[in-house]
Amino acid sequence: MRYRLLGKTGLKVSVVGFGASPLGNVFQPVELTQCKQAVDAAVDGGINFFDVAPYYGHTLAEERLGDALLGKRQSVYLATKCGRYGVADFDFSRQRILTSVDESLRRLKTDWVDLLQAHDIEFGSARQIADETIPALQAIKSQGKARFIGITGYQLRMLATLAEPGTVDTVLSYCRSNLLVDDMDALLSPTAMRLDLGLINASPLHMGLLAPAEPPAWHPAPENVKQAARKIVALCESFGVSASQIALQRCVQHPYAATTLVGMATADQVEDNLNALQIEVDPVLFEKIQALATPVKNFVWASGLPENADYPRPEPSTESTQL
Ligand code: NAD
Protein backbone atom coordinates (compact mmCIF):
# COMPACT_ATOMS: atom_id res chain seq x y z
CA MET A 1 0.00 0.00 0.00
CA ARG A 2 1.12 3.52 -0.72
CA TYR A 3 0.32 6.50 1.48
CA ARG A 4 -0.02 10.21 0.76
CA LEU A 5 -0.40 13.30 2.90
CA LEU A 6 -3.97 14.54 3.05
CA GLY A 7 -3.28 18.20 2.37
CA LYS A 8 -1.94 20.03 5.36
CA THR A 9 -3.59 17.73 7.92
CA GLY A 10 -0.42 15.69 8.34
CA LEU A 11 -2.50 12.48 8.03
CA LYS A 12 -0.77 9.94 5.80
CA VAL A 13 -3.71 8.18 4.21
CA SER A 14 -3.68 5.06 2.06
CA VAL A 15 -4.13 5.82 -1.64
CA VAL A 16 -7.15 3.50 -1.56
CA GLY A 17 -9.65 4.44 1.12
CA PHE A 18 -12.56 2.34 2.42
CA GLY A 19 -15.93 3.81 1.43
CA ALA A 20 -18.38 2.43 3.96
CA SER A 21 -21.70 3.33 2.34
CA PRO A 22 -22.21 -0.29 1.16
CA LEU A 23 -22.18 -1.36 4.83
CA GLY A 24 -25.53 0.44 5.08
CA ASN A 25 -27.08 -1.80 2.37
CA VAL A 26 -27.03 1.16 -0.01
CA PHE A 27 -26.20 -0.97 -3.06
CA GLN A 28 -27.42 -4.40 -1.97
CA PRO A 29 -28.06 -6.17 1.34
CA VAL A 30 -24.94 -7.37 3.15
CA GLU A 31 -24.55 -9.37 6.35
CA LEU A 32 -22.82 -7.98 9.42
CA THR A 33 -20.21 -10.76 9.29
CA GLN A 34 -19.37 -9.80 5.68
CA CYS A 35 -18.89 -6.19 6.79
CA LYS A 36 -16.53 -7.22 9.57
CA GLN A 37 -14.53 -9.44 7.23
CA ALA A 38 -14.29 -6.61 4.71
CA VAL A 39 -13.02 -4.18 7.35
CA ASP A 40 -10.54 -6.76 8.69
CA ALA A 41 -9.23 -7.45 5.17
CA ALA A 42 -8.89 -3.72 4.51
CA VAL A 43 -6.90 -3.06 7.70
CA ASP A 44 -4.73 -6.13 7.06
CA GLY A 45 -4.10 -4.88 3.51
CA GLY A 46 -2.89 -1.48 4.73
CA ILE A 47 -6.03 0.61 4.15
CA ASN A 48 -6.06 3.19 6.94
CA PHE A 49 -8.73 5.68 5.83
CA PHE A 50 -12.43 4.89 6.39
CA ASP A 51 -15.29 7.14 5.30
CA VAL A 52 -18.90 6.83 6.44
CA ALA A 53 -21.95 9.03 7.13
CA PRO A 54 -25.17 8.96 9.19
CA TYR A 55 -27.06 9.00 5.88
CA TYR A 56 -25.75 5.63 4.66
CA GLY A 57 -28.47 3.13 5.50
CA HIS A 58 -30.03 5.63 7.92
CA THR A 59 -27.18 5.22 10.46
CA LEU A 60 -26.70 1.47 9.81
CA ALA A 61 -23.31 1.96 8.12
CA GLU A 62 -21.99 3.98 11.06
CA GLU A 63 -23.23 1.35 13.54
CA ARG A 64 -21.65 -1.48 11.58
CA LEU A 65 -18.37 0.32 10.96
CA GLY A 66 -18.17 1.18 14.66
CA ASP A 67 -18.61 -2.52 15.51
CA ALA A 68 -16.14 -3.67 12.88
CA LEU A 69 -13.48 -1.22 14.08
CA LEU A 70 -13.66 -2.24 17.75
CA GLY A 71 -10.06 -2.86 18.82
CA LYS A 72 -8.75 -1.25 15.62
CA ARG A 73 -9.79 2.35 16.13
CA GLN A 74 -6.28 3.54 16.99
CA SER A 75 -4.79 2.13 13.79
CA VAL A 76 -7.11 3.86 11.31
CA TYR A 77 -8.26 7.34 10.35
CA LEU A 78 -12.02 7.65 10.58
CA ALA A 79 -14.11 10.17 8.66
CA THR A 80 -17.83 10.77 8.97
CA LYS A 81 -20.28 13.47 7.96
CA CYS A 82 -23.19 15.59 9.11
CA GLY A 83 -26.02 17.63 7.62
CA ARG A 84 -27.58 14.90 5.46
CA TYR A 85 -29.88 12.29 6.98
CA GLY A 86 -32.11 11.03 4.14
CA VAL A 87 -32.74 11.34 0.41
CA ALA A 88 -34.42 14.70 1.04
CA ASP A 89 -33.58 15.20 4.72
CA PHE A 90 -30.97 17.91 5.26
CA ASP A 91 -30.19 20.10 8.24
CA PHE A 92 -27.06 22.24 8.12
CA SER A 93 -28.00 24.37 11.16
CA ARG A 94 -25.43 24.92 13.90
CA GLN A 95 -27.55 23.12 16.49
CA ARG A 96 -28.06 20.01 14.34
CA ILE A 97 -24.35 19.81 13.43
CA LEU A 98 -23.43 19.97 17.11
CA THR A 99 -25.83 17.17 18.08
CA SER A 100 -25.06 15.14 14.96
CA VAL A 101 -21.40 14.64 15.83
CA ASP A 102 -22.26 13.31 19.29
CA GLU A 103 -24.72 10.83 17.76
CA SER A 104 -22.08 9.70 15.25
CA LEU A 105 -19.46 9.26 17.95
CA ARG A 106 -21.88 7.05 19.91
CA ARG A 107 -22.63 4.88 16.87
CA LEU A 108 -18.96 4.71 15.89
CA LYS A 109 -18.01 3.83 19.49
CA THR A 110 -15.22 6.38 19.64
CA ASP A 111 -14.47 9.70 21.32
CA TRP A 112 -13.25 11.44 18.18
CA VAL A 113 -13.25 11.28 14.41
CA ASP A 114 -10.26 12.27 12.34
CA LEU A 115 -12.42 14.11 9.83
CA LEU A 116 -15.95 15.52 10.09
CA GLN A 117 -17.47 16.70 6.81
CA ALA A 118 -20.59 18.66 5.92
CA HIS A 119 -22.38 16.19 3.63
CA ASP A 120 -23.58 17.17 0.14
CA ILE A 121 -23.49 20.89 0.72
CA GLU A 122 -25.21 21.73 -2.59
CA PHE A 123 -28.49 20.82 -0.86
CA GLY A 124 -27.99 23.68 1.59
CA SER A 125 -27.77 27.43 1.11
CA ALA A 126 -24.24 28.67 0.52
CA ARG A 127 -24.80 31.39 3.10
CA GLN A 128 -25.84 28.94 5.81
CA ILE A 129 -22.94 26.59 5.04
CA ALA A 130 -20.46 29.49 5.31
CA ASP A 131 -22.02 31.32 8.27
CA GLU A 132 -23.35 28.44 10.36
CA THR A 133 -22.24 24.96 9.30
CA ILE A 134 -18.51 25.56 8.91
CA PRO A 135 -18.27 27.59 12.15
CA ALA A 136 -20.07 24.70 13.91
CA LEU A 137 -17.53 22.27 12.45
CA GLN A 138 -14.75 24.54 13.68
CA ALA A 139 -16.26 24.55 17.18
CA ILE A 140 -16.33 20.74 17.11
CA LYS A 141 -12.70 20.73 15.99
CA SER A 142 -11.69 23.00 18.85
CA GLN A 143 -13.51 20.66 21.30
CA GLY A 144 -11.35 17.80 20.01
CA LYS A 145 -14.30 15.72 18.77
CA ALA A 146 -12.98 16.02 15.20
CA ARG A 147 -9.31 16.51 14.37
CA PHE A 148 -10.04 18.00 10.95
CA ILE A 149 -13.07 19.28 9.07
CA GLY A 150 -14.21 19.25 5.47
CA ILE A 151 -17.00 19.59 2.94
CA THR A 152 -18.37 17.08 0.44
CA GLY A 153 -20.61 17.25 -2.59
CA TYR A 154 -21.20 16.81 -6.30
CA GLN A 155 -21.20 20.41 -7.50
CA LEU A 156 -17.60 21.53 -8.04
CA ARG A 157 -18.17 25.28 -8.21
CA MET A 158 -19.82 25.38 -4.79
CA LEU A 159 -17.15 23.17 -3.23
CA ALA A 160 -14.43 25.44 -4.63
CA THR A 161 -16.15 28.62 -3.45
CA LEU A 162 -16.81 27.35 0.07
CA ALA A 163 -13.25 26.02 0.42
CA GLU A 164 -11.72 29.29 -0.77
CA PRO A 165 -11.55 31.12 2.60
CA GLY A 166 -9.35 28.32 3.95
CA THR A 167 -11.73 27.46 6.78
CA VAL A 168 -11.87 23.73 6.00
CA ASP A 169 -9.08 21.15 5.75
CA THR A 170 -10.47 18.84 3.09
CA VAL A 171 -12.81 18.64 0.11
CA LEU A 172 -14.45 15.37 -0.98
CA SER A 173 -15.72 15.18 -4.55
CA TYR A 174 -17.49 12.16 -6.03
CA CYS A 175 -18.20 10.89 -9.54
CA ARG A 176 -16.12 13.69 -11.05
CA SER A 177 -12.86 11.86 -11.73
CA ASN A 178 -12.94 8.32 -13.10
CA LEU A 179 -13.12 6.57 -16.47
CA LEU A 180 -16.43 8.30 -17.31
CA VAL A 181 -15.77 11.82 -16.09
CA ASP A 182 -12.70 13.96 -15.56
CA ASP A 183 -13.64 17.49 -14.49
CA MET A 184 -12.71 17.26 -10.77
CA ASP A 185 -9.57 19.31 -11.39
CA ALA A 186 -11.80 22.40 -11.47
CA LEU A 187 -11.31 22.24 -7.70
CA LEU A 188 -7.59 22.81 -8.03
CA SER A 189 -7.56 26.60 -8.21
CA PRO A 190 -4.34 28.44 -7.31
CA THR A 191 -6.02 29.31 -3.99
CA ALA A 192 -6.79 25.65 -3.26
CA MET A 193 -3.20 24.72 -4.06
CA ARG A 194 -1.84 27.54 -1.87
CA LEU A 195 -4.12 26.43 0.98
CA ASP A 196 -2.89 22.85 0.51
CA LEU A 197 -6.44 21.51 0.74
CA GLY A 198 -6.72 17.77 1.22
CA LEU A 199 -8.52 16.37 -1.83
CA ILE A 200 -10.50 13.13 -1.56
CA ASN A 201 -11.79 11.52 -4.75
CA ALA A 202 -14.79 9.24 -4.22
CA SER A 203 -16.71 6.76 -6.38
CA PRO A 204 -14.03 5.50 -8.78
CA LEU A 205 -16.58 3.01 -10.14
CA HIS A 206 -19.07 5.84 -10.77
CA MET A 207 -21.16 4.61 -7.83
CA GLY A 208 -20.97 1.01 -8.99
CA LEU A 209 -21.57 1.46 -12.74
CA LEU A 210 -18.10 0.07 -13.51
CA ALA A 211 -18.66 -3.01 -11.33
CA PRO A 212 -20.18 -6.25 -12.69
CA ALA A 213 -23.43 -6.02 -10.66
CA GLU A 214 -26.46 -4.16 -11.99
CA PRO A 215 -26.57 -0.62 -10.58
CA PRO A 216 -29.24 0.15 -7.98
CA ALA A 217 -32.53 1.70 -9.15
CA TRP A 218 -31.67 5.04 -7.50
CA HIS A 219 -28.53 5.56 -9.61
CA PRO A 220 -28.86 9.09 -11.08
CA ALA A 221 -26.64 8.73 -14.18
CA PRO A 222 -28.33 9.24 -17.56
CA GLU A 223 -29.17 6.04 -19.45
CA ASN A 224 -26.48 6.55 -22.11
CA VAL A 225 -23.81 6.74 -19.38
CA LYS A 226 -25.12 3.51 -17.83
CA GLN A 227 -25.02 1.81 -21.24
CA ALA A 228 -21.46 3.00 -21.92
CA ALA A 229 -20.42 1.65 -18.52
CA ARG A 230 -22.01 -1.76 -19.27
CA LYS A 231 -20.08 -1.88 -22.55
CA ILE A 232 -16.82 -1.04 -20.76
CA VAL A 233 -17.45 -3.79 -18.20
CA ALA A 234 -18.16 -6.31 -20.99
CA LEU A 235 -15.13 -5.18 -23.00
CA CYS A 236 -12.82 -5.66 -20.02
CA GLU A 237 -14.33 -9.08 -19.35
CA SER A 238 -13.55 -10.05 -22.96
CA PHE A 239 -9.91 -9.13 -22.25
CA GLY A 240 -10.00 -11.25 -19.07
CA VAL A 241 -9.63 -8.28 -16.71
CA SER A 242 -12.01 -6.38 -14.48
CA ALA A 243 -13.19 -2.87 -15.31
CA SER A 244 -13.32 -2.01 -11.61
CA GLN A 245 -9.59 -2.71 -11.22
CA ILE A 246 -8.69 -0.57 -14.21
CA ALA A 247 -10.99 2.21 -13.00
CA LEU A 248 -9.51 2.20 -9.52
CA GLN A 249 -5.95 2.01 -10.77
CA ARG A 250 -6.44 5.07 -12.97
CA CYS A 251 -7.92 7.02 -10.06
CA VAL A 252 -5.06 6.37 -7.66
CA GLN A 253 -2.70 7.86 -10.24
CA HIS A 254 -4.31 11.29 -9.87
CA PRO A 255 -1.43 13.61 -8.97
CA TYR A 256 -3.23 15.59 -6.28
CA ALA A 257 -6.03 13.44 -4.78
CA ALA A 258 -4.55 11.95 -1.59
CA THR A 259 -6.93 9.01 -1.52
CA THR A 260 -9.57 7.36 -3.69
CA LEU A 261 -12.58 6.12 -1.74
CA VAL A 262 -14.07 2.94 -3.13
CA GLY A 263 -17.18 1.45 -1.60
CA MET A 264 -16.62 -2.13 -0.40
CA ALA A 265 -18.82 -4.63 1.36
CA THR A 266 -16.96 -7.95 1.19
CA ALA A 267 -13.43 -9.23 1.80
CA ASP A 268 -13.31 -10.41 -1.83
CA GLN A 269 -13.96 -6.89 -3.09
CA VAL A 270 -11.28 -5.54 -0.77
CA GLU A 271 -8.77 -8.09 -2.06
CA ASP A 272 -9.71 -7.35 -5.66
CA ASN A 273 -9.30 -3.61 -5.09
CA LEU A 274 -5.96 -4.06 -3.34
CA ASN A 275 -4.77 -6.14 -6.29
CA ALA A 276 -5.79 -3.31 -8.61
CA LEU A 277 -2.75 -1.40 -7.36
CA GLN A 278 -0.47 -4.03 -8.93
CA ILE A 279 -2.01 -4.54 -12.37
CA GLU A 280 -0.59 -3.28 -15.64
CA VAL A 281 -3.23 -1.85 -17.95
CA ASP A 282 -3.01 -3.03 -21.56
CA PRO A 283 -2.73 0.17 -23.65
CA VAL A 284 -4.81 -1.35 -26.46
CA LEU A 285 -7.61 -2.13 -24.02
CA PHE A 286 -7.34 1.31 -22.49
CA GLU A 287 -7.72 2.95 -25.88
CA LYS A 288 -10.86 0.92 -26.50
CA ILE A 289 -12.24 1.90 -23.08
CA GLN A 290 -11.66 5.54 -23.89
CA ALA A 291 -13.41 5.17 -27.23
CA LEU A 292 -16.50 3.86 -25.40
CA ALA A 293 -16.32 6.56 -22.72
CA THR A 294 -15.69 9.57 -24.95
CA PRO A 295 -19.27 10.03 -26.29
CA VAL A 296 -20.63 10.28 -22.72
CA LYS A 297 -17.63 11.94 -21.08
CA ASN A 298 -18.49 14.45 -18.38
CA PHE A 299 -22.26 13.95 -18.53
CA VAL A 300 -23.45 15.17 -15.15
CA TRP A 301 -26.82 15.05 -13.40
CA ALA A 302 -28.85 17.44 -11.29
CA SER A 303 -28.01 17.50 -7.60
CA GLY A 304 -28.98 20.05 -5.00
CA LEU A 305 -30.49 23.51 -5.12
CA PRO A 306 -30.53 25.10 -8.59
CA GLU A 307 -28.45 28.08 -7.48
CA ASN A 308 -25.62 25.76 -6.43
CA ALA A 309 -25.28 24.01 -9.80
CA ASP A 310 -22.00 24.17 -11.69
CA TYR A 311 -23.62 25.10 -14.97
CA PRO A 312 -26.87 26.83 -15.81
CA ARG A 313 -29.63 24.28 -16.26
CA PRO A 314 -32.52 24.54 -18.72
CA GLU A 315 -35.00 23.44 -16.06
CA PRO A 316 -34.06 24.10 -12.43
CA SER A 317 -34.57 21.01 -10.28
CA THR A 318 -34.14 20.01 -6.66
CA GLU A 319 -34.02 16.34 -7.56
CA SER A 320 -32.16 14.31 -4.94
CA THR A 321 -29.52 11.67 -5.39
CA GLN A 322 -28.99 8.71 -3.12
CA LEU A 323 -25.38 9.53 -2.26
P1 NAD B 1 -18.02 3.27 -5.94
O1 NAD B 1 -17.79 3.89 -7.25
O2 NAD B 1 -16.88 3.10 -5.02
O3 NAD B 1 -18.78 1.88 -6.17
C1 NAD B 1 -19.23 1.11 -5.09
C2 NAD B 1 -19.95 -0.14 -5.62
O4 NAD B 1 -19.02 -0.94 -6.33
C3 NAD B 1 -20.52 -1.00 -4.50
O5 NAD B 1 -21.69 -1.65 -4.97
C4 NAD B 1 -19.42 -2.02 -4.29
O6 NAD B 1 -19.91 -3.19 -3.70
C5 NAD B 1 -18.94 -2.23 -5.70
N1 NAD B 1 -17.53 -2.69 -5.77
C6 NAD B 1 -16.45 -2.11 -5.21
N2 NAD B 1 -15.33 -2.81 -5.49
C7 NAD B 1 -15.72 -3.85 -6.23
C8 NAD B 1 -15.03 -4.93 -6.83
N3 NAD B 1 -13.70 -5.07 -6.70
N4 NAD B 1 -15.74 -5.83 -7.55
C9 NAD B 1 -17.07 -5.70 -7.70
N5 NAD B 1 -17.78 -4.71 -7.16
C10 NAD B 1 -17.12 -3.79 -6.42
O7 NAD B 1 -19.14 4.17 -5.24
P2 NAD B 1 -19.42 4.68 -3.77
O8 NAD B 1 -19.47 3.58 -2.78
O9 NAD B 1 -20.59 5.56 -3.90
O10 NAD B 1 -18.19 5.64 -3.42
C11 NAD B 1 -17.17 5.26 -2.55
C12 NAD B 1 -17.29 5.92 -1.19
O11 NAD B 1 -17.06 7.33 -1.31
C13 NAD B 1 -18.67 5.81 -0.51
O12 NAD B 1 -18.84 4.54 0.09
C14 NAD B 1 -18.58 6.96 0.45
O13 NAD B 1 -17.79 6.60 1.56
C15 NAD B 1 -17.85 8.03 -0.36
N6 NAD B 1 -18.80 8.93 -1.07
C16 NAD B 1 -19.11 10.11 -0.51
C17 NAD B 1 -20.01 10.96 -1.12
C18 NAD B 1 -20.36 12.26 -0.46
O14 NAD B 1 -19.81 12.58 0.57
N7 NAD B 1 -21.26 13.03 -1.00
C19 NAD B 1 -20.62 10.61 -2.31
C20 NAD B 1 -20.24 9.40 -2.90
C21 NAD B 1 -19.32 8.57 -2.27
Side-chain angles (χ1 to χ4, degrees):
M1 179 58 66
R2 300 193 300 276
Y3 300 86
R4 289 193 196 129
L5 277 174
L6 180 60
K8 60 179 181 304
T9 65
L11 306 185
K12 281 189 98 177
V13 293
S14 46
V15 293
V16 173
F18 190 105
S21 67
L23 304 192
N25 296 339
V26 165
F27 292 89
Q28 59 218 7
V30 282
E31 301 294 325
L32 179 59
T33 43
Q34 287 179 299
C35 300
K36 285 187 173 157
Q37 286 163 358
V39 169
D40 285 349
V43 173
D44 290 348
I47 292 176
N48 71 355
F49 186 64
F50 288 74
D51 176 78
V52 69
Y55 172 43
Y56 302 150
H58 297 283
T59 70
L60 180 65
E62 278 195 335
E63 292 279 6
R64 286 177 154 185
L65 186 60
D67 281 343
L69 284 176
L70 280 174
K72 298 182 167 59
R73 176 65 191 95
Q74 301 283 346
S75 39
V76 301
Y77 297 127
L78 183 54
T80 193
K81 313 193 185 82
C82 53
R84 180 165 204 178
Y85 306 98
V87 171
D89 182 6
F90 296 87
D91 189 342
F92 292 104
S93 67
R94 178 182 176 85
Q95 195 46 43
R96 185 68 189 102
I97 299 302
L98 295 178
T99 55
S100 187
V101 67
D102 289 333
E103 293 165 11
S104 288
L105 292 178
R106 265 197 304 279
R107 287 188 289 266
L108 289 165
K109 299 160 189 70
T110 183
D111 295 331
W112 85 101
V113 286
D114 297 283
L115 179 63
L116 181 66
Q117 306 155 101
H119 195 174
D120 288 343
I121 58 168
E122 70 267 19
F123 287 89
S125 89
R127 178 170 292 266
Q128 187 183 37
I129 303 289
D131 294 351
E132 227 180 297
T133 315
I134 293 176
L137 292 175
Q138 287 169 324
I140 290 166
K141 184 176 175 178
S142 63
Q143 291 165 358
K145 293 178 184 174
R147 291 174 68 195
F148 300 100
I149 58 174
I151 49 179
T152 84
Y154 184 68
Q155 303 289 355
L156 300 170
R157 181 178 59 93
M158 187 182 189
L159 287 172
T161 307
L162 270 292
E164 190 110 316
T167 46
V168 294
D169 304 299
T170 64
V171 172
L172 182 158
S173 154
Y174 73 98
C175 286
R176 302 307 286 255
S177 180
N178 59 44
L179 292 177
L180 296 164
V181 55
D182 65 1
D183 58 4
M184 181 182 73
D185 288 3
L187 290 171
L188 301 179
S189 66
T191 312
M193 301 301 276
R194 183 171 43 76
L195 292 169
D196 199 7
L197 273 177
L199 178 61
I200 300 165
N201 181 22
S203 309
L205 313 186
H206 219 52
M207 295 200 295
L209 288 194
L210 294 164
E214 278 297 309
W218 54 258
H219 202 296
E223 198 48 43
N224 55 350
V225 175
K226 290 181 181 169
Q227 280 171 16
R230 300 303 342 132
K231 286 182 189 163
I232 292 171
V233 170
L235 170 72
C236 292
E237 274 170 14
S238 74
F239 273 69
V241 294
S242 97
S244 64
Q245 285 192 324
I246 294 175
L248 181 56
Q249 216 229 35
R250 298 298 297 188
C251 284
V252 301
Q253 287 172 19
H254 190 280
Y256 194 77
T259 186
T260 298
L261 283 174
V262 56
M264 299 181 262
T266 66
D268 284 350
Q269 288 179 358
V270 172
E271 191 187 337
D272 198 50
N273 292 336
L274 290 171
N275 288 339
L277 298 179
Q278 318 296 340
I279 62 160
E280 295 223 349
V281 181
D282 176 348
V284 175
L285 170 59
F286 194 68
E287 219 170 276
K288 288 178 186 288
I289 291 173
Q290 284 186 304
L292 289 173
T294 300
V296 297
K297 200 83 183 217
N298 294 343
F299 275 42
V300 296
W301 52 78
S303 178
L305 305 181
E307 67 264 29
N308 297 329
D310 287 344
Y311 315 108
R313 291 189 209 144
E315 287 185 357
S317 152
T318 54
E319 185 186 323
S320 302
T321 62
Q322 180 78 10
L323 285 180

